[in-house]
Amino acid sequence: MTSELDQNALWLTDAAPDDMRRIVDALYRVHRLTAVITDLDVLLERILDESKAVARAEASSLMLYDPAMEELYFHVALGETGDQQALKREIRLKLGQGIAGAAAETREVINVPDVQRDSRFYRLADETSQFRSRSLLAVPLVDRDQLIGVLEVVNKRDGGAFTGIDLRVMEMFSSLAATVIANARLIEENLRAERLAAIGQAVAGLSHYTKNLVNSLISSIELIDQCQEMNKPEVLRSSWPIFKRSARRIANFAEDMLAYSKPRPVGWEFCDLKDVVNEVVDSFWGLVAKRNITIEVDLDSVERPALCDPDAMHRAILNLLFNAAEAV
């Protein structure tokens, strides 16, 4: 019993040695291209160029399937004459419309020796591109039972029809093109998912920091209110600068968000770490007082100023305190 693989390989027995050498060389070049070219459009153009050469055709095109619109549109069109770009701009085919649409709908190869006598031929494509089609071979691109598009070669150079060997070769090229496109789309989807995940993490971090800034501002307000109620102007005078700095940090943060790609430059300066820590604790005190949380600060080992960004240091310590408070 002849296996399906043997049946599919029977066409090789009819291929002349020169044809086989030409086919193998073309497939070898295309497979090498898939390993070195990362630009999908460039790779598809090279695949089409090779398919046009190996089928000895005057033109070739690749139409992609738009599942949302259920239409085919020209993604790549190569030809020595005619306006190929006009096809890409203006022509879209419904499933079943034209020879390409019929190939896509039935998912079967269509070989037409004389398109002018075929009722399925979509004449507007020739009128738009100013190209005269005679013979045409349309091969559907399918990957994992999903329609990708249609690969076409147009006008056999010797004026005749495309042969059975041409058909088999184009099936190989279409299978390769379908795999390349499907893999590129999968990579694009993975990159999009990674970008969305990164954006989600960034938003979560920004929201957390914003919450900490607002909480710091609220705690300063509560501290000022308590000072007024207890009539302690000296404490109020020391709390007011903390409130102003918290408001300034919120303003700086908003400016950084607006600039996005141009964040506020780091403000390096020599500062007393004791002052920075005490300021953070003072701004945090109003919140932790209500939650029965105490803070013990030991700064005896800190003796000299350090070069740092006070705002960045304030933000880091404040985040640390809020994280610790939420864990209690």
Side-chain angles (χ1 to χ4, degrees):
M1 181 180 294
T2 304
S3 67
E4 183 179 352
L5 181 61
D6 292 336
Q7 290 285 351
N8 290 335
L10 285 177
W11 68 276
L12 294 171
T13 61
D14 298 327
D18 288 344
D19 288 334
M20 286 302 304
R21 187 177 301 107
R22 177 166 50 88
I23 293 166
V24 171
D25 287 345
L27 289 172
Y28 175 73
R29 286 194 298 271
V30 169
H31 277 284
R32 289 195 63 186
L33 290 174
T34 60
V36 298
I37 298 180
T38 57
D39 187 296
L40 178 61
D41 289 340
V42 173
L43 181 57
L44 291 177
E45 285 186 9
R46 296 295 295 273
I47 290 175
L48 277 188
D49 197 45
E50 290 290 348
S51 67
K52 182 164 67 79
V54 77
R56 293 175 176 171
E58 293 180 3
S60 60
S61 65
L62 185 144
M63 302 187 76
L64 293 182
Y65 177 58
D66 181 352
M69 301 296 294
E70 296 186 344
E71 292 179 338
L72 293 167
Y73 61 94
F74 283 93
H75 185 71
V76 182
L78 302 178
E80 298 173 2
T81 61
D83 186 357
Q84 307 300 319
Q85 294 302 315
L87 292 175
K88 297 169 66 175
R89 291 192 307 267
E90 303 176 27
I91 300 298
R92 293 179 76 95
L93 301 177
K94 294 289 185 182
L95 290 183
Q97 185 178 25
I99 297 172
E105 185 176 47
T106 62
R107 299 194 181 188
E108 294 180 355
V109 180
I110 297 179
N111 188 0
V112 182
D114 187 353
V115 298
Q116 302 300 328
R117 296 184 179 182
D118 195 302
S119 60
R120 297 169 296 182
F121 179 56
Y122 189 70
R123 301 182 185 279
L124 183 59
D126 270 17
E127 295 173 4
T128 301
S129 64
Q130 298 298 307
F131 178 85
R132 181 173 174 79
S133 300
R134 300 186 304 273
S135 55
L136 188 149
L137 179 60
V139 187
L141 278 65
V142 180
D143 182 79
R144 300 170 191 172
D145 202 37
Q146 297 294 316
L147 178 64
I148 303 295
V150 176
L151 185 64
E152 289 184 325
V153 285
V154 185
N155 292 355
K156 189 77 172 176
R157 288 188 180 276
D158 60 11
F162 290 101
T163 66
I165 292 178
D166 293 330
L167 186 151
R168 291 293 186 176
V169 172
M170 292 311 300
E171 284 182 329
M172 291 188 216
F173 274 100
S174 67
S175 176
L176 180 60
T179 300
V180 166
I181 294 170
N183 289 342
R185 287 176 174 175
L186 182 60
I187 292 172
E188 184 178 350
E189 289 175 3
N190 290 337
L191 289 174
R192 187 182 299 113
E194 290 177 2
R195 291 190 191 104
L196 289 175
I199 290 172
Q201 292 177 353
V203 170
L206 292 172
S207 299
H208 185 72
Y209 177 56
T210 303
K211 174 186 173 184
N212 289 348
L213 282 175
V214 172
N215 284 339
S216 174
L217 194 61
I218 291 173
S219 66
S220 296
I221 293 172
E222 292 176 347
L223 182 60
I224 292 172
D225 287 340
Q226 292 177 20
C227 291
Q228 290 178 329
E229 292 175 1
M230 292 184 292
N231 194 22
K232 293 184 176 180
E234 68 282 358
V235 178
L236 179 61
R237 281 192 294 270
S238 63
S239 302
W240 184 248
I242 298 175
F243 175 82
K244 290 198 297 183
R245 280 191 290 269
S246 296
R248 178 174 54 81
R249 288 190 176 97
I250 291 178
N252 288 340
F253 178 69
E255 290 177 3
D256 290 348
M257 289 297 297
L258 290 173
Y260 190 70
S261 61
K262 297 180 180 179
R264 179 179 51 82
V266 177
W268 294 109
E269 61 181 81
F270 283 98
C271 59
D272 191 327
L273 294 181
K274 291 182 180 180
D275 292 340
V276 176
V277 173
N278 285 328
E279 180 184 332
V280 175
V281 173
D282 287 341
S283 63
F284 193 71
W285 178 84
L287 177 65
V288 298
K290 295 192 302 183
R291 297 180 57 178
N292 295 321
I293 297 175
T294 59
I295 302 175
E296 294 183 3
V297 180
D298 183 2
L299 299 173
D300 292 339
S301 60
V302 179
E303 298 180 353
R304 56 184 177 180
L307 182 63
C308 66
D309 182 340
D311 286 347
M313 183 68 69
H314 186 282
R315 180 168 61 247
I317 299 173
L318 187 61
N319 284 338
L320 179 63
L321 288 176
F322 272 109
N323 289 336
E326 290 176 358
V328 175

